[in-house]
Amino acid sequence: MAQFIKIYPENPNEAAILNVVQVLKAGGLIIYPTDTVYGLGCDITHSKALERVAKIKGIKLEKANFSFICHDLSNLSDYVKQIDTSTFKILKRSLPGPYTFILPGNNNLPKEFKKKKTVGIRIPDNAIILEIVKQLGNPIVSTSIYDEDEVLEYSTDPELIFEKWQNLVDVVIDGGYGDNQPSTIIDLSESEPVVVREGKGDISII
């Protein structure tokens, strides 16, 4: 059964953060708050954990469009090809924030994602997950958790999330109520920006 850990976004508890990081390093799966909906994630360097996430989502890992949660823009060059100044300005203006940016991937992507030409990058405006990723030392793979209830597409109540997911993941973080609007997805991998999905983030930034 998963651990249910309360962490306050205004002042994330260091011991609790390090506990979550240890779970991730051991190949565990976590559910965590962002600035939009709650997410499901694992360490991108842990193959078995990636397989578990794909299995939960009911997809083949090589076909999965998971995004990476980075701590800040300095992580980008690890996984993304060199980007031009105008693209960088869009990223700088809007991150941290409720956006997922699709960017051209480079040769350093984990082997599970080597066939992909692009990678989704997310830097949420949420101190809990940013601190976890910072302490982990590399991004986590991320995917939203959907709620089958059609009225509420995403789960927002951490206690209800825990009830539903406690036997599928290793940690559920209670960071307060989540939003029920996903991130805005913007494809910056070609010459012109393309809005793939309009969500919480304002599209006028592009």
Side-chain angles (χ1 to χ4, degrees):
M1 185 156 100
Q3 301 178 59
F4 189 53
I5 303 174
K6 176 80 184 167
I7 303 179
Y8 294 95
E10 303 79 31
N11 187 17
N13 178 288
E14 195 178 344
I17 295 286
L18 292 175
N19 178 6
V20 176
V21 168
Q22 290 309 318
V23 169
L24 286 166
K25 283 184 173 171
L29 269 49
I30 68 167
I31 288 178
Y32 55 89
T34 71
D35 50 358
T36 58
V37 299
Y38 267 77
L40 164 67
C42 70
D43 184 338
I44 62 164
T45 66
H46 213 292
S47 298
K48 286 207 170 97
L50 291 167
E51 291 282 1
R52 277 179 69 195
V53 174
K55 193 174 174 189
I56 286 173
K57 295 292 280 189
I59 43 179
K60 286 202 163 84
L61 183 53
E62 60 273 15
K63 295 219 166 106
N65 286 323
F66 297 145
S67 45
F68 290 5
I69 291 201
C70 299
H71 171 251
D72 58 28
L73 287 172
S74 66
N75 286 142
L76 278 194
S77 55
D78 295 345
Y79 305 103
V80 172
K81 282 182 182 164
Q82 196 163 5
I83 50 179
D84 60 33
T85 312
S86 60
T87 301
F88 188 75
K89 279 183 177 163
I90 292 173
L91 298 176
K92 192 103 174 119
R93 202 162 54 229
S94 46
L95 296 174
Y99 299 91
T100 302
F101 289 105
I102 298 170
L103 296 162
N106 66 20
N107 295 330
N108 296 334
L109 287 171
K111 64 179 187 298
E112 291 80 7
F113 304 103
K114 281 278 192 245
K115 289 181 181 166
K116 290 198 168 293
K117 292 189 170 66
T118 58
V119 60
I121 296 291
R122 181 110 163 72
I123 304 176
D125 189 10
N126 180 285
I128 297 170
I129 191 58
L130 291 185
E131 194 56 32
I132 288 167
V133 172
K134 183 181 177 186
Q135 297 296 340
L136 180 64
N138 57 260
I140 67 168
V141 74
S142 172
T143 179
S144 299
I145 58 167
Y146 287 87
D147 199 308
E148 280 96 39
D149 182 346
E150 286 174 20
V151 181
L152 185 67
E153 195 178 353
Y154 294 95
S155 303
T156 59
D157 182 336
E159 290 187 9
L160 295 178
I161 292 170
F162 178 71
E163 272 177 37
K164 183 178 167 185
W165 289 82
Q166 58 189 336
N167 296 318
L168 290 168
V169 299
D170 303 283
V171 169
V172 174
I173 297 169
D174 175 359
Y177 270 80
D179 205 318
N180 62 354
Q181 209 182 358
S183 65
T184 291
I185 302 175
I186 300 173
D187 188 341
L188 297 177
S189 65
E190 301 294 337
S191 52
E192 290 294 318
V194 176
V195 177
V196 178
R197 177 182 74 192
E198 201 170 336
K200 190 176 175 185
D202 180 2
I203 61 168
S204 67
I205 57 143
I206 60 168

